Amino acid sequence: PTPRPSPWPPPPPLSGDLTVSGPTAPVTIHRAPSGLPHVSASSLEDLAFGQGFVTAQERLWQLEVTRRLAQGRLSELLGDRTLDLDRFTRTVRLAAKAMEDVGASDAEELRVLEAYAAGVNAYVASELFRRPLEFLLFGITRETFEPWEPAHSLGALRVMSYTLGQGWSHELVRGRLLSAVGPELFTDLIDAKPKLQSSLHLPAGLELRATPSGPGGVGEPIEGGPWLRQAQGSNAWVVSGARTASGKPILANDPHLVNNAPSVFFHWAANCPDCATDDDKLGDGKGLVACGVSIVGAPLFTDVAAATHAIGITLSYVDVEDTFLVTLGPSDTYVRSGQASALTVYEESIRVKGRAEPVVERVRWTREYGPLVTDFVGVGEGEVGEGKALAYKSIMHDNRMHLRALIRLSFAKEWDDFVSAVSLVRTVSLNMVWANDRDIGYYVTGSAPIRSAGDGRITAPGDGTHDWLEGGGVPVEEMPHALNPAAGFIASCNHDIVPADYPHYLGNVFVSGERGRRATDVLASQARHTVEDTMALQNDVHSYLTLAIKKVFHDIKSDDDDVLLLQSLTADFDGALSVDSIAATVLQTLRHFCIELVLLSHVDEKTKDLARGAPVTPLKRQTEFLRHDFPNLVSILQREDADAHPALAKVGGRAGLFTKAAGLAVDFLKEHHGQPGPAWAWGRLHALVYTHQLGTVPLLGSVLNVGPVPVGGSVDTVMHTGWTPKAPFANTDRWSVAYRHIFSAAEPGLIRANQGPGDSGHPTSPFYANKAANWPNGVYENITLGGAAPEGAVATLVLRPRP
């Protein structure tokens, strides 16, 4: 690729031979033709050094922003617009917790963290250093860049844990909606969670089966081994060799996050066959030849595909957060179980650009319920009651961040290795699927709380009656997991994966399960899967819900011109929300206006905004309700007595609803996209834009944002491309594919992957936007692991240790 034309400064050189402080032996960084960096080193610490160096070379601004986000210091650069975010991160004491994590780290963890930090700092001190565009805009220089430290890396991981945590923001919206519409309509319209098919669930007993003696078979249940005590009991899936054409497992990883430019992930490859870890919990802690992604700012991989094994990660949606209504007493006290306890008080001084004096945030923590957060959740003191405050309880508060977990995941060649890594992932609840060349497995991570009363669906009283039980929550060995299940595959798509008789309550914030149902149906319907089948399923845009609403819509007998027009445009719709489909646009637009008319017509404007996805807290962009409105609507419309439903009766039943919605849809589409024709194609409305943090600034957006790129799919398709009712229908600054990899054990050392928009964070780099259209169009990069250099390498950088 050629550099993007721009008046802005050029990116740093990618080739060279430098002498630097930090490594113990030469580290080589090759660039594949796509820009993907391949880091070769002879030790784990030197590998982390090379990763830190190349991350800083490509993402220095992102490192700076991530560090400031964790420290609550964004307002020093951005002023009042980020003050609430800084106040929040100071309130949860994110940076202080990261410092505690460093203090609790073992010797090898510290060596890896320090090596990564040394790599970042070595780049800044090197002759290759170039000030990123954003540094020029904010006046940051080589001299004013603060050296990277281990706490900054663990802070970056904590930021991700907080953004992925599920529970408390949902409780706040749920409580407001419940008050607005009453219990009956609330359950029906908003909180119904239509029942999922049993095929989506693990069996009542956790499935733990030995490796079969024959290739690709499914073995007998086993006892013993780590964490295998018997108990009862998001796109990622793994298929056993019994169901693949090659006879070897295939794993597909497909995490979904908000798509930014550059990505929140850093994609890279490691070539370290002599790497070794001193972890005695691993069967074979030697050799790391892999590719995958890391959180920018943190060493090693979060999602990894190695020559020997692979891991896929999705968010589990286990409810690991709660809000409590606390009674305040005099002089910084709170009352619990009739007894007054002292609040722990911290004063945080926040410097804000444009203000002469710092803002002093008075942070108050309870021992049992975490920090008081009333000021951050869009409710005032009057709404929670006189002398009351909201407290925020989370597993992130009480558990440490283990870099050791990432070390173990990188070397998790066997099931026992994988489980030992899972046991350390305590600050966030994830679905993890795993495979090597014989076995497949699944585990839900995190410390799921055990509540003494209540179910965490709405704010609980902070009086001692609904506390979380002490002792760390559900034991690791009792969290849902499976090894070589009888079905021959495991699919996790953020849905509720355990049956009703699973003994522990995991919450009520799972997504609707439509993606999981489609993935499960496809996986179950094929006897022998291939890599090509896996790619096709990752790019599947079939929507069961949209087909269902089409059927109900076409059952309506009407002479209304708008209804007849839209029925004619959708007559041949087969369920595919493809880029060029006009029918997809019509039905998604109908969906939108039906929801507005039925589900949101009972609430005030502020509550309506929250239900549409307005942020509740500074780190939460949306709540669960965006993923349940469509299934609940379809569930109501499909009832025999739907016309008598209170929500439908007031709009004239199904016929009245669709007549009104059709009129609104036609008016909207004609106003924004003209007469019916190619301009109504779904990809024209549903375009992806990768947004930069400064992309809303005039003149900068055209340089820093990438897109639009037409995309298919929607919220409920396997190719997950979200949009919100507040900004229909674009996939801009919304969740969608953040990264993919496909591992086939039959082809060790060959990984298929895609990620957008590019590997570089420099807008003038040829690798800033060269991959933007890859995943939307199902294009994969073939990554060959190991070897001296990737085929066709376009740059080579050698980092030699300073004598």
Side-chain angles (χ1 to χ4, degrees):
T2 57
R4 302 175 83 208
S6 172
W8 305 109
L14 302 182
S15 293
D17 195 319
L18 306 181
T19 299
V20 294
S21 298
T24 60
V27 175
T28 303
I29 302 170
H30 298 289
R31 301 301 180 110
S34 67
L36 181 74
H38 290 241
V39 181
S40 296
S42 56
S43 71
L44 191 61
E45 292 80 7
D46 283 356
L47 183 69
F49 177 91
Q51 181 195 0
F53 191 101
V54 72
T55 303
Q57 190 179 25
E58 296 292 9
R59 306 286 188 89
L60 194 61
W61 165 249
Q62 205 171 358
L63 287 168
E64 179 71 14
V65 168
T66 300
R67 168 168 56 189
R68 287 180 176 273
L69 174 58
Q71 293 176 328
R73 295 176 55 204
L74 282 172
S75 299
E76 294 176 10
L77 297 180
L78 299 172
D80 284 340
R81 74 177 65 184
T82 55
L83 179 57
D84 279 347
L85 186 53
D86 284 347
R87 292 174 58 222
F88 178 79
T89 53
R90 299 288 185 104
T91 295
V92 298
R93 295 186 56 74
L94 199 153
K97 295 287 186 182
M99 288 295 295
E100 293 174 9
D101 294 335
V102 173
S105 297
D106 63 42
E108 185 174 54
E109 288 177 300
L110 284 175
R111 291 197 304 271
V112 172
L113 287 164
E114 289 167 351
Y116 182 91
V120 172
N121 298 329
Y123 166 72
V124 175
S126 78
E127 64 194 60
L128 299 185
F129 173 78
R130 299 291 185 274
R131 290 173 74 190
L133 166 61
E134 301 91 342
F135 276 37
L136 292 172
L137 295 174
F138 288 101
I140 303 172
T141 66
R142 187 204 306 260
E143 292 71 28
T144 60
F145 177 82
E146 299 171 15
W148 195 262
E149 298 176 2
H152 303 154
S153 292
L154 295 178
L157 291 171
R158 278 195 170 269
V159 166
M160 181 57 73
S161 292
Y162 271 102
T163 59
L164 295 179
Q166 298 296 317
W168 76 298
S169 59
H170 309 321
E171 293 172 23
L172 299 169
V173 178
R174 186 183 287 113
R176 193 175 192 104
L177 290 168
L178 179 60
S179 298
V181 304
E184 184 177 354
L185 278 179
F186 172 76
T187 299
D188 218 16
L189 299 179
I190 297 160
D191 211 36
K193 305 279 197 309
K195 183 175 177 59
L196 306 181
Q197 295 185 356
S198 60
S199 62
L200 289 172
H201 293 138
L202 292 175
L206 302 179
E207 286 199 90
L208 305 164
R209 296 171 181 271
T211 304
S213 56
V218 176
E220 296 301 316
I222 60 175
E223 301 289 346
W227 317 117
L228 298 188
R229 190 177 72 194
Q230 290 296 309
Q232 305 295 317
S234 65
N235 298 345
W237 58 84
V238 60
V239 183
S240 80
R243 298 185 69 98
T244 66
S246 68
K248 294 287 187 179
I250 294 175
L251 180 145
N253 186 39
D254 186 9
H256 307 142
L257 294 170
V258 173
N259 259 310
N260 296 131
S263 170
V264 67
F265 288 137
F266 187 66
H267 192 197
W268 66 292
N271 182 30
C272 193
D274 297 325
C275 272
T277 170
D278 55 18
D279 193 329
D280 60 7
K281 298 293 185 182
L282 294 174
D284 178 13
K286 296 179 181 178
L288 179 53
V289 179
C291 70
V293 291
S294 60
I295 302 301
V296 173
L300 304 180
F301 298 103
T302 53
D303 302 55
V304 62
T308 55
H309 71 283
I311 290 166
I313 297 177
T314 63
L315 188 57
S316 73
Y317 280 82
V318 171
D319 187 348
V320 295
E321 301 174 329
D322 279 337
T323 52
F324 291 88
L325 189 62
V326 174
T327 300
L328 300 177
S331 304
D332 289 325
T333 61
Y334 64 103
V335 180
R336 174 182 170 275
S337 301
Q339 301 293 318
S341 300
L343 291 162
T344 301
V345 180
Y346 309 91
E347 286 201 348
E348 296 281 346
S349 180
I350 306 173
R351 289 185 292 157
V352 183
K353 183 178 181 180
R355 294 196 185 200
E357 298 295 328
V359 172
V360 177
E361 184 69 21
R362 201 164 181 273
V363 176
R364 296 174 294 169
W365 274 66
T366 67
R367 189 182 76 84
E368 299 84 5
Y369 310 119
L372 304 184
V373 295
T374 308
D375 293 342
F376 299 108
V377 295
V379 297
E381 293 288 346
E383 292 185 69
V384 299
E386 188 69 27
K388 302 287 187 179
L390 282 173
Y392 163 39
K393 177 75 170 176
S394 170
I395 64 171
M396 274 74 80
H397 301 336
D398 303 323
N399 289 281
R400 65 163 285 214
M401 181 66 65
H402 290 268
L403 186 70
R404 173 65 56 193
L406 299 187
I407 295 174
R408 289 182 181 176
L409 288 175
S410 294
F411 291 94
K413 301 172 185 177
E414 300 293 340
W415 169 255
D416 290 0
D417 304 332
F418 172 59
V419 176
S420 73
V422 165
S423 70
L424 297 181
V425 182
R426 307 297 286 163
T427 60
V428 63
S429 187
L430 303 168
N431 293 308
M432 287 193 179
V433 295
W434 166 88
N436 64 11
D437 66 346
R438 305 178 314 281
D439 300 318
I440 65 171
Y442 166 84
Y443 228 114
V444 177
T445 75
S447 177
I450 300 175
R451 298 167 175 89
S452 57
D455 58 11
R457 296 175 70 192
I458 59 175
T459 298
D463 59 6
T465 60
H466 287 65
D467 291 10
W468 291 8
L469 299 184
E470 296 186 4
V474 178
V476 172
E477 60 268 28
E478 295 178 20
M479 291 296 286
H481 59 281
L483 172 65
N484 296 322
F489 66 87
I490 305 162
S492 67
C493 301
N494 310 125
H495 60 274
D496 183 0
I497 202 166
V498 295
D501 57 356
Y502 175 72
H504 299 293
Y505 178 73
L506 298 182
N508 193 47
V509 297
F510 304 100
V511 303
S512 69
E514 291 301 314
R515 283 183 289 118
R517 181 156 70 101
R518 175 63 177 173
T520 298
D521 286 351
V522 172
L523 291 170
S525 67
Q526 293 179 250
R528 295 288 178 179
H529 290 266
T530 65
V531 168
E532 290 70 28
D533 295 329
T534 306
M535 292 178 179
L537 183 53
Q538 283 191 329
N539 293 282
D540 186 282
V541 294
H542 188 90
S543 171
Y544 290 139
L545 290 175
T546 310
L547 263 180
I549 203 170
K550 173 210 168 179
K551 182 179 185 308
V552 178
F553 179 50
H554 279 258
D555 286 342
I556 299 299
K557 307 304 179 185
S558 173
D559 57 4
D560 179 84
D561 289 342
D562 293 329
V563 170
L564 293 173
L565 170 64
L566 299 190
Q567 285 180 336
S568 69
L569 291 173
T570 57
D572 297 326
F573 179 70
D574 62 359
L577 301 179
S578 54
V579 167
D580 58 357
S581 172
I582 294 174
T585 295
V586 169
L587 291 167
Q588 288 289 293
T589 309
L590 269 179
R591 156 199 171 166
H592 171 68
F593 286 111
C594 283
I595 288 168
E596 290 284 311
L597 291 166
V598 173
L599 301 186
L600 298 181
S601 61
H602 301 267
V603 298
D604 59 56
E605 284 304 312
K606 182 174 181 180
T607 305
K608 191 178 293 186
D609 275 349
L610 291 173
R612 286 171 175 156
V616 180
T617 68
L619 279 179
K620 304 290 184 184
R621 291 179 182 249
Q622 68 274 320
T623 66
E624 60 164 314
F625 300 101
L626 295 178
R627 297 177 174 91
H628 293 286
D629 52 10
F630 197 15
N632 289 346
L633 172 69
V634 169
S635 178
I636 293 170
L637 291 173
Q638 289 178 328
R639 298 178 188 178
E640 290 186 6
D641 61 346
D643 290 341
H645 189 282
L648 287 182
K650 72 179 214 173
V651 292
R654 284 173 288 198
L657 171 66
F658 278 116
T659 300
K660 290 181 175 64
L664 291 169
V666 170
D667 288 347
F668 173 88
L669 290 170
K670 286 184 176 179
E671 178 183 352
H672 294 282
H673 302 282
Q675 295 299 313
W680 284 26
W682 181 230
R684 297 285 292 271
L685 281 73
H686 190 55
L688 161 69
V689 176
Y690 300 87
T691 54
H692 188 279
Q693 294 111 330
L694 304 178
T696 58
V697 177
L699 301 181
L700 291 180
S702 61
V703 175
L704 299 176
N705 295 337
V706 178
V709 180
V711 291
S714 189
V715 179
D716 59 299
T717 58
V718 176
M719 191 169 92
H720 188 47
T721 55
W723 55 271
T724 71
K726 283 186 70 66
F729 294 89
N731 184 225
T732 299
D733 202 33
R734 294 293 175 244
W735 59 95
S736 53
V737 176
Y739 167 70
R740 288 172 174 163
H741 66 229
I742 296 173
F743 163 87
S744 171
E747 301 173 282
L750 176 61
I751 307 299
R752 284 88 168 176
N754 56 32
Q755 182 201 24
D759 297 314
S760 179
H762 298 279
T764 53
S765 169
F767 305 119
Y768 183 74
N770 61 311
K771 302 180 184 181
N774 281 11
W775 75 256
N777 291 295
V779 176
Y780 291 78
E781 181 177 357
N782 291 333
I783 302 170
T784 302
L785 304 177
E791 185 177 354
V794 296
T796 299
L797 174 63
V798 180
L799 306 174
R800 302 185 189 279
R802 194 178 303 281

